[in-house]
Amino acid sequence: MPDTPAQAPGAAALSYAKGPSEPPVRDLTLGDLLAWAAETTPDRLALIAGVPDPAARRQWTYAELHAESLRTARALTRRFQPGERIAVWAPNVPEWVLLEFGAAMAGLVLVTVNPGFRAAELEYVLKQSRSSGVFVLPSFRGNPMLDTVRQVAPNCPELREIIALDTWEGFVAAGDDTTIALPAVRPDDPVMIQYTSGTTGFPKGALLHHRGIANNGSHTMDRMGIEDGAVTLTTMPLFHTGGCVLCVLGAVSKRTTQVLVEAFDPGLVLELFQTYRINAMLGVPTMLIAMTEHPNYGTTDLSSTRAICSGGSTVPAALVRKLEEKLGAPFTIVFGQTECSPVASMTWPTDTIEDKADTIGQPMPHVEVKIVDPATGETLPAGQVGEFCTRGYHIMLGYFENPEATAQAIDADGWLHTGDLCSMDERGYCQVEGRLKDMIIRGGENIYPRELEELLFRHPSIGEVAVVGLPDERLGETVAAFVRPAAGATIDQDELTAYVREHLAPHKTPKQWFIVETFPMTGSGKIQKFRLKEQWEKGEVKGS
């Protein structure tokens, strides 16, 4: 384990740690990163479109990917000015990757849009970002996306270009003119607006810069233990930093062959693992659970697997142990949020199973982390629960045209206040206790949902679980558990109540149990607990 994080000098008992000083933070743009990979490994396969039909799987070498990205940049330069925003509304198609690099080379800011959005959500993003153009797939999974863009366009006064991705070749042909000059782009220039996942309400646009996302993707791959030239699988959605930063930019930083999955399907993912001898994958817990529950899981050859990484939401300890045992590959967990490009801390492949299962690891290289009292802002003693704050090269420039929200998130000393409740031990390893807004206050006592969720996930009848606080006239809040039964299992409330009572104090036992078939999720795989509360208020969920 190289150059592990250290506590601040003279502050060993405080919840503060700084990440390693290696590898360095590279002063480069996304275009520089791709150019380096193309110059050093031009003939290596860079990108494979992992669609269900093997005959339709397009592919590019690094030299081809770089040339096509330059062509895209020149075509964009014909239509847009440096600094303008262009939106991309599509699933994980190769053109998305070309736009990511092409826009960066053209000095544009890419606005990423969830392909599951409907008209009101799309209109909000296009208007708030003041996008000048939008690239859109005509339709996806029954969502008439091109029609929706045309519907909202009259309400978006700065939107002047609508480009359907099925006309891509016609658009990009303008980039064949190699005399078109591209603008100078700097590492600290803005490159992307990522709208926050919205687990607690309406999203804000995090404005990210080249240096932040290029290095964060690279450092994450380093800590996963990904070797140069490996074969990696991208299942995370590209509209989220887990996809376009950790997977795409991380892959280029290690010059891997990246297999891009258009939309997650556990059966397809298992086939791709076997066909392409996949070495590494990053996926949210719901993806990994779906893979292990698929009928083909037991018969798929997964022996090429060298690393599995997860994050995006609480990773149950039982799942960590299950995957390490079944795959025989080291498991790592990332933790952070969009606003920090996105990873602030991460476990190591060499960590003990206990640290992998129960912590979110130590700070990333060149990253500071501290745990503070939410009320006073003071750094807490090691072991106490408070708000997770982080500072370093990875912090966003701010929320796009929202200085008030930026000032609330980033303090005068440059610390990003994440809203996550964590504790830190004296080694700098952190544990997640929940969200400040998720913490349940029952009769004046603080209850952290994470503890209950970890316990319940280990019960054989439960496939997934989310614990929330519901209003109670006498106690203020009461504990409620929303559970999805495991395959073939039934939920017995009395049995689960006794199970919780056996392991935890009585006041933490859920008073209400609700059975759900699916959870409302953000596009990045996080359970939207505020939606569960809304479903409860409307009487849309069934009690056990």
Side-chain angles (χ1 to χ4, degrees), residues 3-9 12 16-20 362-363 367 369 424 426-428:
D3 192 13
T4 56
Q7 295 284 337
Y16 169 87
K18 186 173 183 179
Q362 297 173 309
V367 165
V369 169
M424 179 189 291
E426 293 190 0
R427 303 170 301 155

Side-chain angles (χ1 to χ4, degrees), residues 153-487:
N155 301 325
C156 305
E158 297 186 55
L159 184 68
R160 64 174 188 271
E161 299 268 6
I162 300 172
I163 300 160
L165 288 179
D166 61 351
T167 65
W168 177 259
E169 279 306 316
F171 158 75
V172 82
D176 290 335
D177 181 359
T178 57
T179 65
I180 297 173
L182 297 178
V185 181
R186 298 170 302 178
D188 54 357
D189 283 345
V191 68
M192 191 177 290
I193 296 177
Q194 287 266 349
Y195 280 83
T196 55
S197 299
T199 56
T200 56
F202 222 52
K204 301 181 288 290
L207 186 62
L208 306 176
H209 49 90
H210 288 258
R211 182 186 291 105
I213 62 177
N215 283 284
N216 204 261
S218 174
H219 292 169
T220 301
M221 284 283 186
D222 274 322
R223 192 168 293 192
M224 278 179 71
I226 305 303
E227 296 182 357
D228 186 83
V231 182
T232 56
L233 187 70
T234 295
T235 57
M236 292 293 290
L238 295 181
F239 70 83
H240 183 261
T241 46
C244 66
V245 175
L246 302 187
C247 293
V248 173
L249 302 183
V252 175
S253 77
K254 288 295 182 181
R255 299 176 295 190
T256 77
T257 295
Q258 179 183 187
V259 182
L260 180 66
V261 179
E262 184 171 299
F264 178 78
D265 173 81
L268 172 62
V269 167
L270 290 170
E271 181 263 306
L272 293 171
F273 255 91
Q274 184 164 293
T275 299
Y276 294 103
R277 307 293 296 160
I278 301 294
N279 302 130
M281 168 190 170
L282 187 149
V284 295
T286 48
M287 292 179 180
L288 302 174
I289 291 167
M291 288 169 61
T292 61
E293 291 180 348
H294 193 274
N296 295 345
Y297 180 72
T299 57
T300 301
D301 181 2
L302 300 171
S303 61
S304 60
T305 310
R306 298 288 177 266
I308 296 288
C309 184
S310 189
S313 64
T314 298
V315 182
L319 179 62
V320 176
R321 293 187 174 94
K322 179 179 180 180
L323 287 166
E324 283 223 337
E325 289 166 6
K326 293 206 171 190
L327 293 175
F331 187 96
T332 49
I333 294 170
V334 295
F335 180 77
Q337 58 182 210
T338 304
E339 291 87 339
C340 55
S341 296
V343 180
S345 69
M346 185 175 176
T347 59
W348 300 82
T350 52
D351 278 337
T352 65
I353 189 66
E354 289 77 20
D355 281 336
K356 289 180 181 181
D358 300 330
T359 82
I360 51 169
Q362 297 173 309
M364 296 297 285
H366 309 278
V367 165
E368 292 178 274
V369 169
K370 66 178 179 179
I371 310 298
V372 305
D373 183 322
T376 67
E378 293 298 315
T379 303
L380 290 168
Q384 291 193 19
V385 176
E387 185 178 13
F388 183 100
C389 298
T390 182
R391 181 170 69 177
Y393 78 89
H394 60 317
I395 302 302
M396 66 176 178
L397 295 169
Y399 292 118
F400 182 70
E401 297 191 347
N402 194 341
E404 296 84 4
T406 300
Q408 288 178 356
I410 304 173
D411 67 27
D413 294 322
W415 288 95
L416 174 71
H417 292 248
T418 66
D420 289 299
L421 284 168
C422 294
S423 60
M424 179 189 291
D425 67 20
E426 293 190 0
R427 303 170 301 155
Y429 279 75
C430 293
Q431 278 189 296
V432 177
E433 308 293 347
R435 294 281 294 168
L436 275 172
K437 292 181 179 179
D438 289 345
M439 186 175 70
I440 301 167
I441 304 176
R442 178 191 180 276
E445 294 184 274
N446 294 344
I447 297 171
Y448 303 113
R450 162 72 186 254
E451 182 182 31
L452 263 168
E453 289 163 352
E454 281 276 4
L455 175 66
L456 287 168
F457 184 82
R458 293 199 292 269
H459 194 279
S461 69
I462 291 180
E464 287 181 278
V465 59
V467 172
V468 302
L470 296 179
D472 182 89
E473 287 185 8
R474 185 172 66 87
L475 296 169
E477 283 187 297
T478 186
V479 182
F482 292 76
V483 298
R484 178 182 68 79

Side-chain angles (χ1 to χ4, degrees), residues 27-257:
D27 202 38
L28 82 178
T29 66
L30 304 199
D32 295 335
L33 180 67
L34 182 58
W36 163 78
E39 289 164 6
T40 52
T41 52
D43 299 325
R44 182 176 293 169
L45 203 54
L47 183 65
I48 299 172
V51 295
D53 179 6
R57 290 175 182 169
R58 297 177 287 161
Q59 59 186 45
W60 292 259
T61 64
Y62 270 104
E64 291 167 340
L65 184 63
H66 183 239
E68 280 301 300
S69 296
L70 279 171
R71 189 175 174 227
T72 302
R74 291 192 294 264
L76 288 167
T77 301
R78 293 286 295 269
R79 301 200 189 199
F80 302 100
Q81 295 297 313
E84 286 193 308
R85 276 78 52 206
I86 59 167
V88 54
W89 196 27
N92 288 12
V93 293
E95 288 77 12
W96 208 113
V97 177
L98 294 174
L99 277 168
E100 179 174 0
F101 285 108
M105 293 171 173
L108 301 173
V109 177
L110 191 68
V111 178
T112 70
V113 189
N114 184 338
F117 274 4
R118 296 300 186 258
E121 297 163 309
L122 172 69
E123 182 179 324
Y124 170 80
V125 167
L126 293 178
K127 287 176 71 174
Q128 203 283 324
S129 65
R130 298 197 291 114
S131 289
S132 301
V134 57
F135 290 80
V136 55
L137 200 67
S139 65
F140 179 66
R141 289 186 167 176
N143 191 0
M145 296 160 70
L146 181 56
D147 289 345
T148 303
V149 169
R150 290 170 174 159
Q151 173 190 333
V152 305
N155 301 325
C156 305
E158 297 186 55
L159 184 68
R160 64 174 188 271
E161 299 268 6
I162 300 172
I163 300 160
L165 288 179
D166 61 351
T167 65
W168 177 259
E169 279 306 316
F171 158 75
V172 82
D176 290 335
D177 181 359
T178 57
T179 65
I180 297 173
L182 297 178
V185 181
R186 298 170 302 178
D188 54 357
D189 283 345
V191 68
M192 191 177 290
I193 296 177
Q194 287 266 349
Y195 280 83
T196 55
S197 299
T199 56
T200 56
F202 222 52
K204 301 181 288 290
L207 186 62
L208 306 176
H209 49 90
H210 288 258
R211 182 186 291 105
I213 62 177
N215 283 284
N216 204 261
S218 174
H219 292 169
T220 301
M221 284 283 186
D222 274 322
R223 192 168 293 192
M224 278 179 71
I226 305 303
E227 296 182 357
D228 186 83
V231 182
T232 56
L233 187 70
T234 295
T235 57
M236 292 293 290
L238 295 181
F239 70 83
H240 183 261
T241 46
C244 66
V245 175
L246 302 187
C247 293
V248 173
L249 302 183
V252 175
S253 77
K254 288 295 182 181
R255 299 176 295 190
T256 77
T257 295

